[in-house]
């Protein structure tokens, strides 16, 4: 679930050696599944361990994860680097803002997850966003674009050469194409 680099493990062992016996680290997500999701690491004294916590054993310490954070910490990585500028602990959790869906989840959920995890972060750079309206019986994902995408001169390229191509490749045999349901009106909000 969580990968902790060798350097980060040494760092945690050093920090925990200065704490009370039996203290663990806790890895958590605040506001999981939202755009405001943030990951953190803290001390977890023995009396703060909950019955439904997931215990991840490492050499010299354990990392505790609360049950609510588990799916949001899937594929998370913790690293500790030192350079001329100092030391830094980094935590990357690609699924913190959006719960990862299972490979056998319903098609709508898998397409929605792809849009939220892969497409919208790229569109956000232009102030845009994309939502899944429906999947038609004949296998087309119907999308609605907003923000900077509404009225953008490049929307056809984004839909056909970007999103559609990726969805057909990822969900071969299930998705035949993408349809844009947006009534594009060019304006100050549009990205040019």
């Amino acid at each position: 679930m969580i990968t902790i680099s060798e350097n980060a493990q040494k760092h945690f062992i050093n920090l925990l050696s200065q704490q009370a016996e039996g203290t663990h680290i806790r890895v958590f997500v605040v506001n999981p599944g939202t755009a405001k999701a943030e990951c953190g690491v803290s001390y977890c004294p023995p009396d703060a361990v909950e019955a439904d916590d997931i215990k991840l054993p490492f050499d010299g310490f354990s990392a505790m994860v609360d049950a609510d954070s588990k799916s949001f910490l899937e594929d998370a990585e913790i690293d500790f680097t030192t350079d001329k500028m100092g030391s830094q602990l980094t935590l990357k959790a690609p699924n913190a803002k959006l719960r990862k869906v299972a490979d056998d989840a319903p098609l709508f959920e898998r397409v929605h997850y792809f849009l939220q995890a892969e497409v919208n972060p790229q569109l956000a750079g232009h102030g845009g966003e994309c939502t899944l309206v429906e999947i038609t019986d004949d296998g087309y994902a119907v999308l609605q674009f907003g923000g900077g995408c509404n009225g953008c001169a490049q929307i056809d390229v984004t839909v056909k050469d970007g999103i559609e191509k990726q969805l057909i490749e990822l969900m071969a045999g299930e998705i035949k194409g993408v349809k844009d349901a947006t009534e594009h009106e060019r304006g100050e909000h549009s990205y040019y």
Side-chain angles (χ1 to χ4, degrees):
M1 175 195 322
I2 300 172
T3 302
I4 301 180
S5 73
E6 200 173 304
N7 284 341
Q9 289 183 44
K10 289 176 186 172
H11 177 67
F12 289 137
I13 290 168
N14 181 43
L15 290 174
L16 290 169
S17 71
Q18 301 163 35
Q19 300 301 310
E21 182 83 22
T23 300
H24 307 289
I25 65 163
R26 177 172 295 284
V27 184
F28 58 90
V29 181
V30 178
N31 299 315
T34 71
K36 296 179 181 180
E38 290 188 28
C39 300
V41 178
S42 66
Y43 292 119
C44 181
D47 62 349
V49 175
E50 301 290 331
D52 62 349
D53 279 347
I54 297 142
K55 186 176 185 175
L56 304 174
F58 290 90
D59 287 335
F61 71 97
S62 291
M64 307 305 289
V65 175
D66 62 278
D68 291 340
S69 293
K70 180 185 176 191
S71 62
F72 297 100
L73 288 170
E74 201 67 40
D75 303 324
E77 298 176 11
I78 301 175
D79 194 14
F80 184 74
T81 56
T82 304
D83 59 25
K84 295 176 192 171
M85 304 299 286
S87 301
Q88 181 175 344
L89 185 69
T90 58
L91 198 154
K92 294 177 185 170
N95 298 301
K97 294 181 188 314
L98 186 66
R99 184 185 307 260
K100 188 173 184 177
V101 297
D103 292 341
D104 61 351
L107 183 59
F108 188 93
E109 288 180 30
R110 289 183 284 131
V111 172
H112 173 74
Y113 177 80
F114 168 76
L115 294 173
Q116 298 303 314
E118 302 294 330
V119 175
N120 278 341
Q122 294 173 28
L123 297 179
H126 300 164
E129 64 181 350
C130 169
T131 55
L132 178 61
V133 177
E134 69 172 314
I135 296 177
T136 63
D137 291 338
D138 57 350
Y140 284 84
V142 179
L143 309 179
Q144 180 78 38
F145 291 88
C149 291
N150 189 341
C152 174
Q154 295 297 312
I155 193 65
D156 290 338
V157 174
T158 300
V159 172
K160 292 294 177 194
D161 292 343
I163 300 169
E164 183 176 75
K165 193 182 252 184
Q166 288 179 310
L167 272 175
I168 290 172
E169 185 178 310
L170 282 171
M171 303 184 190
E174 294 181 282
I175 294 292
K176 292 181 184 163
V178 172
K179 294 182 180 179
D180 182 1
T182 312
E183 291 185 27
H184 290 279
E185 293 182 25
R186 191 175 292 280
E188 287 184 25
H189 63 276
S190 301
Y191 183 79
Y192 293 96

